[in-house]
Amino acid sequence: MQNVSVDIPTGVLTVVTGVAGSGKSSLINEVFQHQHPDAIVIDQSAVGVNSRSNPATYTGILDDVRKAFAAANKVQASLFSFNSKGACENCQGLGVVFTELSFFDSVKSPCEVCGGKRFKDEVLAYKLNGKSISDVLAMNVQQALEYFEIKEVVRKLQAMSDVGLDYLGLGQPLSTLSGGECQRIKLASELHKNGSIYIMDEPTTGLHMSDIGHLMEVINRLVDTGNTVVVIEHNLHVIKNADWIIDMGPEGGSKGGKVMFEGTPEKLLTAKNSLTSQYLRN
């Protein structure tokens, strides 16, 4: 960073651009984030390495679902947790068993007792609107939206749908998610907050163009409800939809770290020393 001083306006979408190594992450993830420790950071780091974690547990949906099952069947909510009383005793609620082999990696196979469903048979006998807890965890977000009427569950499911995760299984291990999916499920879990600062580090990574459209709708909604959104991004579709742009450069590494431009997308088109400006004009 070379004597950098920038203004980041509140209540709008600011996009920080520039070639790789130009100082975008240093400016936002190190300097700006240090000044605003309460900012909500959506990056590409894993949301969980625990094989027991899934979208239903991460978003808190499972807590409400367990309570609903318990109320409908007049039993304890802990029965509907594969980490507690309801877990299959053979696999301890993992749904798989591991066989150790000499000189080889252990082999993972579906549990013979529960068939990979994670729960005891007696738990699977309890139903909520005709579905067992295992049936619910086998649903994807879109199917769950059609099934549930619980207000808080529907709100969280809708947030995941809004960021393009309709296809994601509620019981799918978080360790199987891509970097882009991790970003979006983090974003979905934070969408209800207002008046906050959101920092997103290349949120379009790995996304299809249609999903980028979904993401822009979510970002615009965040701004419309009074949030400040700062995005580090290369995607031209996101850049041209920004309210304010900070372009770093001129190149990467020791040849970067300078502010090449600060202003609106329209004014960026006339910037002469910016590589981003060249691509945006094209």
Side-chain angles (χ1 to χ4, degrees):
M1 307 299 291
Q2 300 183 38
N3 300 317
V4 170
S5 178
V6 295
D7 290 320
I8 297 179
T10 59
V12 301
L13 167 60
T14 295
V15 177
V16 184
T17 62
V19 299
S22 59
K24 304 185 299 298
S25 294
S26 297
L27 175 65
I28 301 303
N29 292 336
E30 295 180 29
V31 182
F32 180 72
Q33 189 179 333
H34 179 73
Q35 293 176 354
H36 301 274
D38 294 332
I40 299 164
V41 181
I42 314 294
D43 57 23
Q44 294 186 39
S45 62
V47 291
V49 295
N50 190 332
S51 61
R52 295 178 180 270
S53 299
N54 54 48
T57 58
Y58 184 79
T59 58
I61 286 173
L62 193 57
D63 292 336
D64 296 307
V65 171
R66 288 169 52 226
K67 291 175 185 176
F69 266 93
N73 294 280
K74 296 180 173 56
V75 293
Q76 292 182 320
S78 57
L79 277 176
F80 303 99
S81 170
F82 47 71
N83 294 321
S84 189
K85 294 181 180 179
C88 168
E89 293 176 351
N90 186 57
C91 63
Q92 283 77 52
L94 285 173
V96 295
V97 292
F98 294 88
T99 304
E100 299 293 334
L101 300 175
S102 298
F103 309 113
F104 294 98
D105 292 335
S106 58
V107 175
K108 181 172 69 173
S109 57
C111 174
E112 295 178 355
V113 175
C114 68
K117 293 184 177 181
R118 294 187 162 198
F119 295 93
K120 298 175 181 176
D121 286 341
E122 62 188 81
V123 175
L124 297 177
Y126 295 118
K127 306 288 184 180
L128 177 67
N129 298 330
K131 301 286 187 182
S132 71
I133 185 67
S134 180
D135 294 332
V136 169
L137 289 174
M139 293 178 181
N140 62 31
V141 170
Q142 184 59 49
Q143 292 167 335
L145 267 173
E146 296 170 2
Y147 169 76
F148 281 109
E149 296 180 355
I150 305 168
K151 186 176 179 180
E152 187 63 15
V153 172
V154 170
R155 183 187 67 78
K156 292 173 180 177
L157 288 168
Q158 189 60 54
M160 285 196 282
S161 177
D162 288 344
V163 295
L165 294 176
D166 283 327
Y167 59 89
L168 205 64
L170 296 187
Q172 180 178 338
L174 292 183
S175 57
T176 64
L177 269 57
S178 68
E181 287 169 333
C182 287
Q183 283 195 321
R184 283 183 284 166
I185 198 168
K186 286 179 185 178
L187 182 56
S189 67
E190 302 284 4
L191 283 182
H192 61 284
K193 298 180 180 178
N194 295 330
S196 301
I197 298 173
Y198 285 80
I199 298 173
M200 302 183 194
D201 193 349
E202 299 191 23
T204 64
T205 300
L207 298 191
H208 187 273
M209 277 302 296
S210 61
D211 286 336
I212 293 174
H214 279 303
L215 180 66
M216 286 309 305
E217 290 174 7
V218 173
I219 289 174
N220 288 331
R221 192 192 323 152
L222 285 173
V223 172
D224 291 342
T225 52
N227 296 289
T228 299
V229 182
V230 182
V231 178
I232 302 169
E233 191 54 82
H234 293 283
N235 186 281
L236 294 176
H237 180 69
V238 176
I239 294 170
K240 72 179 183 181
N241 280 283
D243 300 303
W244 192 255
I245 293 175
I246 298 171
D247 189 52
M248 301 297 293
E251 298 180 29
S254 60
K255 296 181 180 179
K258 296 180 181 178
V259 178
M260 305 307 298
F261 172 82
E262 199 176 351
T264 63
E266 185 179 17
K267 290 183 179 178
L268 176 59
L269 292 174
T270 61
K272 295 181 179 179
N273 298 322
S274 165
L275 288 172
T276 305
S277 176
Q278 294 177 27
Y279 280 92
L280 204 58
R281 281 196 297 270
N282 292 335

